[in-house]
Amino acid sequence: MIVTRFAPSPTGHLHLGHAHSALVGWHRARAVSGRFLLRIEDIDPARCRPEYDVAILEDLAWLGLDWAGPIRRQSDHLSDYEAALGRLRGLGLLYPCFCSRKDIAAAVNAPHGPEGPVYPGTCRGLPAQIAVTRQERGEPYALRLDVAKAQMMTGPLTFTDERQGVVEARPETLGDVVLARRDAAASYHLCVTLDDHLQGVTLVTRGIDLFHATHIHRLLQAILDLNVPTYAHHLLLTNAAGERLSKRDGAMALRALRQAGRSAAEVRALAGFPGQVPEARTDT
Ligand code: GLU
């Protein structure tokens, strides 16, 4: 059975780009009597707010979408992420990094990746004794994945993207990503990969902006023995200026459109899905 999901972060109101993503996943499941799940990615307490969580559910329901089973909220499952971090630590694949964002941007040898400067590995070779002393002194640190070491364990990996076919995973292009921070129990990469497995997701439908992240997720799947879903990275909706929609395009927020008198059908059409929402199939 096809299981898809929509996994917004409650850091703001849903906009048309989110609606597009949600509708892609919902239609794919609905077309084959599969399951469409909802997950609230609220792992980062500094950025997430409960009122956005409530608003997301309201907006999706208004749009005509429904989802199967209970909603998974990441903040309810911290022990799952801790257990995964424990496994990675046990395999010697995590190391503490004391660098600030500024340090990384300023590093002369920082290579440039698809999403900006790639962490140059400054703390990777830090002697354990020094790392422990700095941690004990209370210096803030993040835990990073030693990607090269992980790749040595897994060997070459691939994943399937519906538009691009079989893709060779190249997690090294994002560098040693952060998997946990002082102020957030675990990072997006770890949580999303684990959650898709735990929720039994078979088809991950999400924007092409997360294509590079998938390479890291594939590596984590191999290390943590997780299921490997198929991916459908969809193109992003753009605004009139041809730029991808973001939370800054306030007028494109679903609730702003609703308040301006647009119907749900009109908003679905603006989000790339004209026509009626199909009824659930009962023939299979
Ligand atoms: N929570 C992520 C976001 O809002 C999406 C994660 C995903 O679809 O994999 O951008």
Side-chain angles (χ1 to χ4, degrees), residues 83-103:
L85 284 170
R87 262 183 86 181
L88 294 168
R89 194 181 286 113
L91 291 166
L93 293 177
L94 298 182
Y95 62 88
C97 166
F98 301 90
C99 299
S100 65
R101 251 174 239 262
K102 239 167 94 186
D103 293 337

Side-chain angles (χ1 to χ4, degrees), residues 153-280:
M153 288 182 182
T154 65
L157 297 167
T158 59
F159 62 87
T160 301
D161 175 79
E162 285 194 347
R163 292 172 67 239
Q164 304 193 30
V166 177
V167 179
E168 191 187 324
R170 299 200 51 221
E172 68 280 6
T173 57
L174 286 193
D176 288 354
V177 290
V178 168
L179 292 191
R181 293 202 320 259
R182 239 286 157 94
D183 56 346
S187 80
Y188 160 71
H189 294 300
L190 184 71
C191 300
V192 83
T193 309
L194 203 61
D195 289 341
D196 283 335
H197 169 81
L198 294 172
Q199 289 190 286
V201 173
T202 63
L203 176 67
V204 172
T205 55
R206 64 182 174 199
I208 190 80
D209 54 327
L210 289 168
F211 181 73
H212 296 290
T214 299
H215 294 240
I216 288 286
H217 302 173
R218 182 65 192 91
L219 181 63
L220 289 171
Q221 286 155 359
I223 293 284
L224 295 169
D225 302 313
L226 308 179
N227 297 334
V228 183
T230 299
Y231 290 86
H233 295 98
H234 60 75
L235 298 179
L236 303 180
L237 288 191
T238 52
N239 64 18
E243 300 150 350
R244 73 173 270 205
L245 293 181
S246 77
K247 282 170 189 153
R248 283 189 304 274
D249 292 296
M252 293 298 163
L254 302 187
R255 45 194 49 214
L257 292 164
R258 167 155 55 131
Q259 275 151 19
R262 303 286 200 140
S263 70
E266 281 176 293
V267 172
R268 288 197 301 272
L270 287 170
F273 285 85
Q276 284 309 302
V277 165
E279 291 298 319

